[in-house]
Amino acid sequence: MNQEARPERPVESDGTAHLFKALGRQIKVLRERAGLSQRELGAAVNYEEDLISAIERGVRTPQPDFLECVDELLNAGGVLKAAVPEVREALARSRTRHPGWFRDYAEAEAKAVALHDYSTQAIPGLLQTEEYARAIFTHRRPLLDDGTIEKRVADRLARQQIFECWPAPTFSFVLEEAALQRPTGGRTVQTNQLRQLLRFGRLRTVELQVMPVDREDHPSQDGSFILLTPKGRQQVAYTEIYGVPRLITEPEEVRIFSDRYGIIRARALTPQESLSLIEKMLGER
């Protein structure tokens, strides 16, 4: 979801960014010393190459189990394992790094057992590449300063760690085809973003569907929304218009959004048809 400019702490105020950048540099040095490429290291730990790159650049948080595995794989001698307590603490603090108006949703999302997202104008934040997210924040009005942009990008990518949880939450996404067609950030960024959608859409835990622009019947022309089920709590709905958030807990209102989402999914392409459409957009079919 979008995150507009609001007053907040400086990017480096809690030291978290320094920690992740330092760990990223250490991992890169150890990987190169071991003679492995990012792709080879990723294959060894079941991570995508671009995720390894993001970790080494300090824009994605290395998970504790990743650090423990890579420490042994790269013969780090416990150097990376020693950082695990600090990383766990940083992950606990990260929920408060978002703007205050977005924090309640971010905390609920981090504890979700199910998440269903319908997006109309842009790719959902949980599915965005680093370059796509940076393009979104760079062109936001009013303009954000460079430090805030980088913080927002890092925080948005950090939210994607929910896909690494196990047992995994239930995820489904319905994206309007127009959002896929828009070359946000340029054609290269758009292409990489479409490839990322294929990667996410092929996960066993994710159902990704596209709503074609030629569908005549549509139950929700009002805009994007999310249905979220936090662990041990009832389902809630979340909407955001021009940076004004609304976390909806009233059962009857949530039921209405749930009904809409069910109809939207029925009107959209199936997950396999959706992946085929994205492949066609990439010229792979």
Side-chain angles (χ1 to χ4, degrees):
M1 302 301 289
N2 298 329
Q3 300 179 23
E4 297 289 346
R6 303 291 174 90
E8 56 187 298
R9 294 177 299 167
V11 177
E12 307 291 350
S13 62
D14 63 359
T16 301
H18 285 311
L19 170 63
F20 295 153
K21 287 179 181 177
L23 280 172
R25 285 193 292 268
Q26 290 177 343
I27 292 168
K28 180 179 181 180
V29 169
L30 290 165
R31 173 182 60 77
E32 291 177 343
R33 187 186 68 177
L36 296 176
S37 66
Q38 291 178 339
R39 182 184 297 274
E40 290 169 334
L41 177 58
V45 295
N46 200 29
Y47 272 43
E48 294 287 345
E49 179 182 3
D50 58 352
L51 179 53
I52 297 295
S53 173
I55 289 173
E56 291 186 352
R57 286 179 286 116
V59 297
R60 277 294 297 270
T61 307
Q63 293 294 296
D65 57 350
F66 170 82
L67 291 174
E68 292 171 353
C69 178
V70 171
D71 188 284
E72 296 182 5
L73 184 65
L74 300 181
N75 296 316
V79 171
L80 299 178
K81 287 183 179 180
V84 167
E86 285 76 12
V87 170
R88 292 190 192 279
E89 182 180 348
L91 288 172
R93 290 199 310 266
S94 67
R95 294 172 186 160
T96 65
R97 296 180 64 207
H98 298 285
W101 60 274
F102 187 73
R103 200 165 294 153
D104 287 346
Y105 172 79
E107 291 180 355
E109 181 186 81
K111 300 174 184 177
V113 296
L115 185 149
H116 307 289
D117 185 307
Y118 168 59
S119 291
T120 61
Q121 298 297 322
I123 306 301
L126 280 179
L127 304 181
Q128 290 178 6
T129 64
E130 179 184 347
E131 293 78 11
Y132 188 98
R134 184 172 289 109
I136 291 287
F137 290 125
T138 298
H139 297 291
R140 181 71 44 81
R141 292 296 189 276
L143 293 172
L144 305 176
D145 63 80
D146 290 344
T148 299
I149 290 172
E150 292 309 308
K151 179 182 184 301
R152 294 290 175 84
V153 170
D155 288 348
R156 176 160 290 185
L157 296 180
R159 288 170 52 211
Q160 295 176 1
Q161 290 162 176
I162 192 173
F163 292 106
E164 300 162 21
C165 296
W166 195 264
T170 299
F171 298 104
S172 71
F173 299 87
V174 180
L175 285 63
E176 287 288 339
E177 183 181 356
L180 277 62
Q181 294 172 342
R182 181 171 293 112
T184 299
R187 295 297 179 185
T188 299
V189 172
Q190 179 193 26
T191 296
N192 291 335
Q193 179 62 69
L194 291 175
R195 293 191 187 286
Q196 172 132 309
L197 290 180
L198 288 179
R199 289 195 292 270
F200 276 117
R202 289 167 178 158
L203 295 176
R204 289 189 299 134
T205 56
V206 174
E207 295 276 323
L208 190 148
Q209 295 176 255
V210 175
M211 176 69 80
V213 294
D214 62 359
R215 288 293 191 262
E216 295 181 4
D217 300 323
H218 201 303
S220 185
Q221 299 279 14
D222 300 339
S224 303
F225 63 87
I226 293 174
L227 288 165
L228 192 69
T229 306
K231 186 175 182 179
R233 292 166 53 191
Q234 296 296 314
Q235 187 178 60
V236 300
Y238 178 84
T239 65
E240 184 185 315
I241 301 175
Y242 295 110
V244 179
R246 185 176 177 224
L247 191 62
I248 302 165
T249 59
E250 202 282 317
E252 180 59 19
E253 284 193 79
V254 175
R255 184 194 65 77
I256 291 172
F257 278 99
S258 182
D259 285 350
R260 287 181 180 179
Y261 192 74
I263 298 171
I264 288 170
R265 292 198 70 182
R267 296 279 194 273
L269 298 176
T270 68
Q272 187 55 55
E273 289 170 341
S274 300
L275 295 181
S276 295
L277 174 63
I278 295 172
E279 289 173 345
K280 190 174 296 184
M281 294 175 70
L282 287 166
E284 297 179 359
R285 283 208 172 197

